[in-house]
Amino acid sequence: MQKILIVEDEGRIVRLIRDYLKKEGYDVLDARDGEEGLAVFQRQDPALIILDLMLPRLDGLEVAKQIRKDSDVPIIMLTAKTEEADRVTGLELGADDYMTKPFSLRELAARIKAIFRRTRGDVTKSEVISQGDLTVNTKTHQVKLTGEEVDLTPTEFDLLSVMASNPGRAFTRHNLLEEIGHFPGERVKRIIDTHIKNLRKKLSRPEGAEKYIETVHGVGYRFRDDLQ
Ligand code: CA
Protein backbone atom coordinates (compact mmCIF):
# COMPACT_ATOMS: atom_id res chain seq x y z
CA MET A 1 0.00 0.00 0.00
CA GLN A 2 1.37 3.40 -0.93
CA LYS A 3 1.88 5.80 1.95
CA ILE A 4 0.64 9.37 1.60
CA LEU A 5 1.49 12.08 4.12
CA ILE A 6 -0.89 15.01 4.66
CA VAL A 7 0.64 18.05 6.34
CA GLU A 8 -2.21 20.38 7.27
CA ASP A 9 -3.31 22.08 10.46
CA GLU A 10 -7.03 22.21 9.68
CA GLY A 11 -8.44 19.02 11.16
CA ARG A 12 -11.55 19.09 9.01
CA ILE A 13 -9.55 19.10 5.78
CA VAL A 14 -7.23 16.38 7.07
CA ARG A 15 -10.19 14.16 7.91
CA LEU A 16 -11.86 14.69 4.54
CA ILE A 17 -8.70 13.88 2.58
CA ARG A 18 -7.75 10.98 4.84
CA ASP A 19 -11.13 9.29 4.62
CA TYR A 20 -11.28 9.68 0.87
CA LEU A 21 -7.76 8.42 0.22
CA LYS A 22 -8.18 5.49 2.57
CA LYS A 23 -11.19 4.42 0.55
CA GLU A 24 -9.00 4.67 -2.55
CA GLY A 25 -6.66 2.16 -0.95
CA TYR A 26 -3.82 4.34 0.34
CA ASP A 27 -2.13 4.25 3.69
CA VAL A 28 -2.58 7.79 5.04
CA LEU A 29 -0.43 9.59 7.61
CA ASP A 30 -0.90 13.13 8.85
CA ALA A 31 1.00 15.88 10.60
CA ARG A 32 -0.48 19.12 11.95
CA ASP A 33 2.44 21.53 11.62
CA GLY A 34 5.57 21.95 9.51
CA GLU A 35 8.05 20.54 11.99
CA GLU A 36 5.94 17.49 12.66
CA GLY A 37 5.53 17.11 8.89
CA LEU A 38 9.29 16.96 8.38
CA ALA A 39 9.69 14.52 11.25
CA VAL A 40 7.00 12.17 9.92
CA PHE A 41 8.45 12.46 6.41
CA GLN A 42 11.88 11.40 7.66
CA ARG A 43 10.57 8.58 9.82
CA GLN A 44 7.97 7.11 7.47
CA ASP A 45 9.32 7.75 3.98
CA PRO A 46 5.93 8.40 2.30
CA ALA A 47 5.47 7.94 -1.45
CA LEU A 48 3.76 11.34 -1.83
CA ILE A 49 3.16 14.43 0.29
CA ILE A 50 0.11 16.71 0.35
CA LEU A 51 1.44 19.91 1.84
CA ASP A 52 -0.55 22.91 3.01
CA LEU A 53 1.14 26.30 2.60
CA MET A 54 -0.08 27.97 5.79
CA LEU A 55 1.17 25.89 8.67
CA PRO A 56 2.14 26.66 12.26
CA ARG A 57 5.80 26.46 13.34
CA LEU A 58 7.27 25.98 9.86
CA ASP A 59 5.37 27.07 6.75
CA GLY A 60 4.77 24.88 3.72
CA LEU A 61 7.38 26.59 1.55
CA GLU A 62 10.07 25.99 4.15
CA VAL A 63 8.96 22.37 4.52
CA ALA A 64 9.13 21.88 0.72
CA LYS A 65 12.59 23.44 0.63
CA GLN A 66 13.87 21.13 3.38
CA ILE A 67 12.38 18.04 1.74
CA ARG A 68 13.86 18.92 -1.68
CA LYS A 69 17.36 19.04 -0.19
CA ASP A 70 17.53 15.29 -0.32
CA SER A 71 14.34 13.85 -1.78
CA ASP A 72 12.39 13.79 -5.05
CA VAL A 73 9.19 12.62 -3.37
CA PRO A 74 6.19 14.07 -5.25
CA ILE A 75 4.65 17.08 -3.46
CA ILE A 76 1.15 18.47 -4.04
CA MET A 77 0.66 21.85 -2.39
CA LEU A 78 -2.63 23.05 -0.95
CA THR A 79 -3.10 26.78 -1.25
CA ALA A 80 -5.73 29.45 -0.73
CA LYS A 81 -6.86 31.56 -3.70
CA THR A 82 -4.97 34.56 -2.35
CA GLU A 83 -1.63 32.78 -2.22
CA GLU A 84 -0.69 32.94 -5.90
CA ALA A 85 2.83 34.31 -5.33
CA ASP A 86 3.51 31.54 -2.84
CA ARG A 87 2.17 28.97 -5.26
CA VAL A 88 4.71 30.01 -7.87
CA THR A 89 7.45 29.98 -5.23
CA GLY A 90 6.34 26.49 -4.24
CA LEU A 91 6.58 25.26 -7.82
CA GLU A 92 9.99 26.89 -8.10
CA LEU A 93 11.07 25.04 -4.99
CA GLY A 94 10.14 21.81 -6.71
CA ALA A 95 6.54 21.05 -5.77
CA ASP A 96 4.92 18.95 -8.52
CA ASP A 97 1.43 20.32 -8.44
CA TYR A 98 -0.96 22.37 -6.39
CA MET A 99 -4.65 22.46 -5.57
CA THR A 100 -6.49 25.63 -4.63
CA LYS A 101 -8.95 25.38 -1.74
CA PRO A 102 -11.72 24.47 -1.90
CA PHE A 103 -10.94 21.55 -4.20
CA SER A 104 -12.64 18.35 -5.21
CA LEU A 105 -11.41 15.21 -3.50
CA ARG A 106 -12.04 13.30 -6.68
CA GLU A 107 -9.70 15.56 -8.58
CA LEU A 108 -7.06 15.34 -5.86
CA ALA A 109 -7.22 11.53 -6.06
CA ALA A 110 -6.95 11.67 -9.87
CA ARG A 111 -3.86 13.89 -9.66
CA ILE A 112 -2.28 11.53 -7.14
CA LYS A 113 -2.93 8.61 -9.46
CA ALA A 114 -1.43 10.50 -12.41
CA ILE A 115 1.70 11.30 -10.42
CA PHE A 116 2.14 7.69 -9.34
CA ARG A 117 1.63 6.50 -12.90
CA ARG A 118 4.32 8.88 -14.09
CA THR A 119 6.84 8.17 -11.36
CA ARG A 120 6.49 4.44 -11.83
CA GLY A 121 7.30 5.03 -15.47
CA ASP A 122 4.28 3.11 -16.73
CA VAL A 123 3.56 5.58 -19.50
CA THR A 124 7.06 5.99 -20.87
CA LYS A 125 8.79 3.78 -23.38
CA SER A 126 12.06 2.24 -22.31
CA GLU A 127 14.62 4.05 -24.32
CA VAL A 128 17.51 6.40 -24.23
CA ILE A 129 17.12 9.75 -25.96
CA SER A 130 20.33 11.52 -26.87
CA GLN A 131 20.34 15.14 -28.02
CA GLY A 132 23.55 17.10 -28.10
CA ASP A 133 25.22 16.73 -24.70
CA LEU A 134 22.00 15.59 -23.13
CA THR A 135 20.92 12.00 -22.46
CA VAL A 136 17.48 11.12 -21.14
CA ASN A 137 16.87 7.56 -20.03
CA THR A 138 13.13 7.07 -19.77
CA LYS A 139 13.52 3.67 -18.16
CA THR A 140 15.81 4.58 -15.30
CA HIS A 141 14.60 8.22 -15.18
CA GLN A 142 18.17 9.42 -15.36
CA VAL A 143 19.17 12.61 -17.13
CA LYS A 144 22.77 13.34 -17.91
CA LEU A 145 24.32 16.53 -19.22
CA THR A 146 27.86 16.11 -20.57
CA GLY A 147 28.04 12.89 -18.56
CA GLU A 148 26.95 14.47 -15.29
CA GLU A 149 23.68 13.48 -13.71
CA VAL A 150 21.02 16.21 -13.47
CA ASP A 151 18.48 16.00 -10.66
CA LEU A 152 14.94 16.63 -11.89
CA THR A 153 11.60 16.45 -10.13
CA PRO A 154 9.14 13.90 -11.59
CA THR A 155 7.21 16.64 -13.41
CA GLU A 156 10.35 18.22 -14.88
CA PHE A 157 11.47 14.81 -16.03
CA ASP A 158 8.15 14.14 -17.76
CA LEU A 159 8.16 17.46 -19.56
CA LEU A 160 11.72 16.97 -20.71
CA SER A 161 11.21 13.42 -21.90
CA VAL A 162 8.04 14.32 -23.83
CA MET A 163 9.74 17.23 -25.58
CA ALA A 164 13.07 15.51 -26.15
CA SER A 165 11.26 12.52 -27.70
CA ASN A 166 9.78 14.90 -30.26
CA PRO A 167 12.54 17.35 -31.16
CA GLY A 168 11.38 20.17 -33.40
CA ARG A 169 7.75 19.82 -32.46
CA ALA A 170 6.18 22.91 -30.92
CA PHE A 171 4.11 22.06 -27.88
CA THR A 172 1.48 24.40 -26.53
CA ARG A 173 1.22 24.73 -22.79
CA HIS A 174 -2.10 22.96 -23.10
CA ASN A 175 -0.40 20.01 -24.91
CA LEU A 176 2.22 19.82 -22.20
CA LEU A 177 -0.33 19.89 -19.40
CA GLU A 178 -2.09 16.97 -21.06
CA GLU A 179 1.13 15.09 -21.63
CA ILE A 180 2.02 15.22 -17.98
CA GLY A 181 -1.42 14.10 -16.90
CA HIS A 182 -2.86 17.38 -15.69
CA PHE A 183 -6.37 18.58 -16.27
CA PRO A 184 -6.11 21.38 -18.78
CA GLY A 185 -8.75 24.07 -18.76
CA GLU A 186 -8.94 25.37 -15.26
CA ARG A 187 -5.22 24.86 -14.89
CA VAL A 188 -3.10 27.92 -15.46
CA LYS A 189 -0.40 28.11 -18.08
CA ARG A 190 1.86 29.43 -15.42
CA ILE A 191 2.46 25.97 -14.01
CA ILE A 192 4.14 24.96 -17.28
CA ASP A 193 6.15 28.19 -17.53
CA THR A 194 7.45 27.67 -14.03
CA HIS A 195 8.44 24.05 -14.63
CA ILE A 196 10.14 25.02 -17.92
CA LYS A 197 12.01 27.79 -16.17
CA ASN A 198 13.26 25.32 -13.56
CA LEU A 199 14.21 22.83 -16.25
CA ARG A 200 16.16 25.42 -18.22
CA LYS A 201 18.00 26.45 -15.11
CA LYS A 202 19.03 22.85 -14.46
CA LEU A 203 20.05 22.30 -18.08
CA SER A 204 21.80 25.63 -18.45
CA ARG A 205 25.38 24.65 -17.96
CA PRO A 206 27.51 25.37 -19.76
CA GLU A 207 26.03 27.01 -22.85
CA GLY A 208 23.04 28.98 -21.67
CA ALA A 209 19.42 28.54 -20.72
CA GLU A 210 17.79 28.25 -24.13
CA LYS A 211 20.14 25.71 -25.58
CA TYR A 212 17.69 22.82 -25.39
CA ILE A 213 14.24 24.25 -24.90
CA GLU A 214 13.23 27.14 -27.13
CA THR A 215 10.29 29.44 -26.63
CA VAL A 216 7.94 29.41 -29.61
CA HIS A 217 6.30 32.81 -29.42
CA GLY A 218 2.56 32.72 -29.23
CA VAL A 219 2.60 28.93 -29.05
CA GLY A 220 4.66 27.43 -26.28
CA TYR A 221 7.89 25.46 -26.25
CA ARG A 222 9.99 23.28 -28.48
CA PHE A 223 12.95 20.99 -27.94
CA ARG A 224 15.60 21.96 -30.47
CA ASP A 225 16.19 19.60 -33.36
CA ASP A 226 19.41 21.11 -34.66
CA LEU A 227 21.76 19.87 -31.95
CA GLN A 228 24.72 17.93 -33.24
CA1 CA B 1 -3.35 25.61 7.00
Side-chain angles (χ1 to χ4, degrees):
M1 226 192 308
Q2 274 157 317
K3 259 190 265 183
I4 295 179
L5 168 62
I6 307 166
V7 189
E8 162 68 281
D9 56 318
E10 278 173 78
R12 189 184 59 86
I13 295 181
V14 173
R15 279 191 298 278
L16 283 171
I17 298 176
R18 189 175 52 205
D19 292 350
Y20 196 90
L21 294 182
K22 276 190 171 166
K23 266 185 236 146
E24 295 277 304
Y26 298 108
D27 190 1
V28 183
L29 313 160
D30 65 82
R32 299 304 173 95
D33 64 55
E35 283 180 16
E36 192 192 348
L38 278 179
V40 177
F41 161 70
Q42 273 147 12
R43 223 170 30 234
Q44 300 275 351
D45 191 27
L48 183 141
I49 300 176
I50 298 168
L51 178 64
D52 187 41
L53 264 185
M54 294 291 283
L55 291 168
R57 292 173 82 193
L58 203 59
D59 71 31
L61 292 178
E62 194 52 39
V63 173
K65 206 196 281 175
Q66 301 277 336
I67 288 173
R68 276 291 172 261
K69 278 186 187 159
D70 49 21
S71 167
D72 281 339
V73 62
I75 298 175
I76 298 178
M77 290 190 311
L78 301 183
T79 70
K81 274 209 180 70
T82 51
E83 294 168 339
E84 190 179 353
D86 290 338
R87 210 141 60 211
V88 173
T89 309
L91 293 171
E92 281 167 356
L93 288 174
D96 293 275
D97 202 351
Y98 66 84
M99 308 264 327
T100 305
K101 294 175 184 174
F103 52 84
S104 120
L105 290 165
R106 212 177 113 246
E107 188 175 348
L108 175 65
R111 299 243 188 111
I112 290 171
K113 245 179 241 163
I115 286 179
F116 281 146
R117 218 168 32 235
R118 278 147 47 197
T119 51
R120 274 200 312 265
D122 292 3
V123 289
T124 45
K125 294 161 273 169
S126 56
E127 61 176 327
V128 178
I129 305 155
S130 264
Q131 302 286 352
D133 301 331
L134 187 72
T135 313
V136 181
N137 188 320
T138 55
K139 198 172 180 185
T140 62
H141 276 219
Q142 271 179 321
V143 174
K144 286 185 178 172
L145 186 60
T146 51
E148 265 190 69
E149 198 157 326
V150 185
D151 252 318
L152 300 182
T153 66
T155 302
E156 289 162 4
F157 179 86
D158 287 338
L159 284 174
L160 179 63
S161 56
V162 165
M163 287 191 290
S165 304
N166 300 277
R169 174 176 161 193
F171 287 92
T172 63
R173 292 171 180 84
H174 180 96
N175 292 150
L176 291 172
L177 282 168
E178 278 186 331
E179 289 286 354
I180 62 172
H182 277 282
F183 292 71
E186 57 106 16
R187 309 292 296 155
V188 280
K189 294 170 176 175
R190 197 134 180 201
I191 192 169
I192 289 292
D193 292 343
T194 307
H195 286 308
I196 295 282
K197 198 171 109 203
N198 291 345
L199 248 179
R200 281 176 165 164
K201 213 183 291 164
K202 291 181 181 180
L203 301 179
S204 67
R205 10 167 259 271
E207 283 95 342
E210 298 219 10
K211 184 177 179 211
Y212 296 99
I213 302 166
E214 288 177 317
T215 301
V216 184
H217 292 288
V219 179
Y221 298 98
R222 170 169 61 206
F223 195 95
R224 277 181 49 183
D225 59 353
D226 55 354
L227 302 160
Q228 67 284 34

